[in-house]
Amino acid sequence: MSLYTDHLAALQRQAEAALERCGFDTLLIASGIEKYAFLDDRPYLFQPSPHFKHWLPLTNHPHSWLAVRPGRKPRVVYYQPDDYWHVPPEAPSGEWVDAVELVVIREPAEAAQALADCLTPRTAIVAEADAALPSITPNNPEALLNLLHWARGVKSPYELEQMRAAQRRAAPGHNAARAAFLRGDSEAEIHRAYLVATGHTDRDLPYSSIVGLNEHAAVLHYQYQDASPPAESRSFLIDAGAQVNGYASDITRTWVAPGHDEFAALVSAMEVQQLALVDEVREGVDYRDIHLSTHRRIARVLREAGIVHMSDEAMVEEGVTKPFFPHGIGHLLGLQVHDVGGFMASENGGVADKPEGHRYLRLTRPLQAGMVVTIEPGLYFIPTLLRGLRASPQSANVDWDAVERLSRYGGIRIEDDVACRASGEAPENLTRDAFTAP
């Protein structure tokens, strides 16, 4: 058997167990609906259901369906319109075809007939309401979704292979973006270099790339790309990923132009701490503890750089690190960039709380072997947050001249995607492995 067929068999076992526990006989999963802008005839970019692409490597296939029935092959209702306005999906091909019962439809409404024998009061339907299918009413049962979401936190060997491939697709883009920055290109030109090197377009990126020069690196989700280069390119932050068979990579790097030694030293200090945090990704470790460890490490960087004159413990206790590091250390990664289930207390649902005062952390579960998480510490000079620090009692402990000098560079974020391994084993740094691969 291949990694994919093993993966499919494992999903079948998980789904059958979840259906039995929740009192259902059949699971229907929709790929998703193509949606249009309000009062317009232009569609938004199609976003497939992560539950659908968990089973099938089909990411541009709206109006398709998957039916899971205990003891039988999954049925795939494959929408392939006879369309001359747009390029329709190709004829079904690939390893998945032989593993399923395939039904091809030409109109979205034909799915109702193709699934008619699956529709009973004991059918779980994970989907959005579709006006073209009034006979299929989604119920999205919470108990069943909790079981599926919890299980998705741990990746199969097949999934890990897709995620390694997504890293290898992104790495040349990051190298090309760095070269464009050192040439003095604009943000828009850097982004185009990234797209060419990864073979992506804006349509199929897993998320919109963050490409920020100088002070723009202080905007955590900087959403623009200036077409003209600045008078001086001092620093560059790129947060950009790639996608393979529906699985994402999510990588951030910060670069410094030659001659800016003070900020370069700060980036080097953050690199050391980032790699130490990667090593904390171990089975059984509470991810919240890695987040709190990050604040202690940021405090060390601030103290050793002479930016803040306080002990590391006092900085963390009094919240001085928060204006410099205002986000969480990372999140689950997989079929979604911010993968589902990060706050679940157990497979039955519930919420595992964030540490008090750390509302932006996106993962609060203990780590399990097979989880893939991001480790992305940052150190920023964000004007609105620094104003609050300047007005606080701790202001006297901050070297504001150093802050002003360093604010010209915006900030630093270094992000790797890391797979947790079995107890006693070091984590697998998917990102660093991709950058060093031939």
Side-chain angles (χ1 to χ4, degrees), residues 337-393:
V337 176
H338 299 148
D339 221 355
V340 73
F343 302 124
M344 294 180 69
S346 75
E347 64 178 9
N348 298 316
V351 176
D353 291 332
K354 302 171 188 178
E356 186 176 355
H358 297 267
R359 58 178 174 157
Y360 294 117
L361 183 60
R362 288 192 170 104
L363 174 57
T364 55
R365 285 168 62 172
L367 296 176
Q368 297 171 256
M371 282 184 170
V372 178
V373 299
T374 65
I375 296 294
E376 48 183 305
L379 196 163
Y380 312 89
F381 301 91
I382 301 172
T384 186
L385 300 181
L386 292 174
R387 282 195 292 271
L389 179 59
R390 191 184 282 272
S392 74

Side-chain angles (χ1 to χ4, degrees), residues 181 185-187 190 211-217 229-230 233 235-237:
F181 157 65
D185 287 1
S186 70
E187 292 167 347
I190 293 170
V211 180
L213 293 170
N214 301 338
E215 290 89 349
H216 290 165
S233 291
S235 59
F236 168 50
L237 185 152

Side-chain angles (χ1 to χ4, degrees), residues 50 152-153 155 159 163 247 331-343 362-363 372:
R152 267 180 50 197
K155 304 301 183 285
E159 293 180 286
M163 298 184 74
Y247 289 86
H331 49 81
L332 288 171
L333 179 71
L335 291 161
Q336 296 167 280
V337 176
H338 299 148
D339 221 355
V340 73
F343 302 124
R362 288 192 170 104
L363 174 57
V372 178

Side-chain angles (χ1 to χ4, degrees), residues 17-357:
L19 288 168
E20 184 177 4
R21 284 181 61 175
C22 298
F24 294 100
D25 295 329
T26 305
L27 171 61
L28 299 185
I29 301 173
S31 66
I33 305 167
E34 190 169 46
K35 300 175 182 177
Y36 289 81
F38 181 60
L39 299 179
D40 207 333
D41 61 358
R42 293 181 300 113
Y44 293 112
L45 294 179
F46 174 67
Q47 296 293 328
S49 163
H51 289 286
F52 185 82
K53 62 179 181 173
H54 198 191
W55 291 73
L56 302 161
L58 304 177
T59 58
N60 295 302
H61 297 73
H63 307 296
S64 297
W65 288 80
L66 173 74
V68 182
R69 303 153 297 172
R72 302 175 66 181
K73 275 187 174 183
R75 179 184 298 169
V76 174
V77 178
Y78 187 92
Y79 174 58
Q80 188 186 29
D82 187 8
D83 187 1
Y84 56 87
W85 287 99
H86 306 94
V87 176
E90 295 179 354
S93 64
E95 188 177 8
W96 66 271
V97 174
D98 291 334
V100 305
E101 174 189 306
L102 184 64
V103 179
V104 177
I105 60 173
R106 302 300 182 190
E107 298 291 340
E110 293 175 14
Q113 181 177 353
L115 297 170
D117 62 320
C118 299
L119 295 172
T120 75
R122 290 170 59 87
T123 299
I125 304 174
V126 177
E128 300 175 87
D130 186 347
L133 295 168
S135 63
I136 301 180
T137 303
N139 49 16
N140 296 307
E142 183 178 0
L144 180 68
L145 284 174
N146 283 337
L147 294 173
L148 299 180
H149 288 166
W150 179 265
R152 267 180 50 197
V154 175
K155 304 301 183 285
S156 69
Y158 163 79
E159 293 180 286
L160 289 172
E161 277 299 297
Q162 309 316 303
M163 298 184 74
R164 293 184 188 106
Q167 302 287 325
R168 294 192 297 270
R169 187 174 186 181
H174 278 268
N175 290 332
R178 177 178 181 267
F181 157 65
L182 293 174
R183 285 196 303 266
D185 287 1
S186 70
E187 292 167 347
E189 290 167 333
I190 293 170
H191 177 60
R192 284 196 288 272
Y194 180 86
L195 293 176
V196 170
T198 58
H200 269 300
T201 69
D202 280 310
R203 290 183 60 87
D204 57 9
L205 287 170
Y207 60 97
S208 297
S209 300
I210 299 168
V211 180
L213 293 170
N214 301 338
E215 290 89 349
H216 290 165
V219 183
L220 299 184
H221 284 173
Y222 175 62
Q223 70 271 45
Y224 302 115
Q225 293 165 5
D226 284 350
S228 300
E232 179 189 26
S233 291
R234 298 178 291 272
S235 59
F236 168 50
L237 185 152
I238 177 168
D239 186 335
Q243 188 166 212
V244 171
N245 288 330
Y247 289 86
S249 56
D250 180 2
I251 302 169
T252 307
R253 290 293 183 266
T254 303
W255 303 106
V256 189
H260 297 271
D261 296 343
E262 184 180 21
F263 189 68
L266 201 60
V267 173
S268 295
M270 285 293 294
E271 177 95 358
V272 170
Q273 300 305 325
Q274 194 268 351
L275 289 171
L277 288 163
V278 166
D279 196 54
E280 295 184 24
V281 176
R282 305 284 177 141
E283 186 175 30
V285 169
D286 191 322
Y287 192 79
R288 292 171 291 193
D289 291 338
I290 300 179
H291 175 75
L292 297 175
S293 174
T294 307
H295 278 273
R296 293 190 291 271
R297 293 182 180 279
I298 296 295
R300 181 186 305 175
V301 172
L302 291 169
R303 175 177 54 78
E304 292 180 348
I307 297 170
V308 180
H309 303 290
M310 298 172 67
S311 70
D312 301 351
E313 296 79 7
M315 263 190 265
V316 175
E317 180 68 26
E318 298 178 35
V320 174
T321 55
K322 290 181 181 179
F324 295 99
F325 174 53
H327 58 76
I329 184 55
H331 49 81
L332 288 171
L333 179 71
L335 291 161
Q336 296 167 280
V337 176
H338 299 148
D339 221 355
V340 73
F343 302 124
M344 294 180 69
S346 75
E347 64 178 9
N348 298 316
V351 176
D353 291 332
K354 302 171 188 178
E356 186 176 355

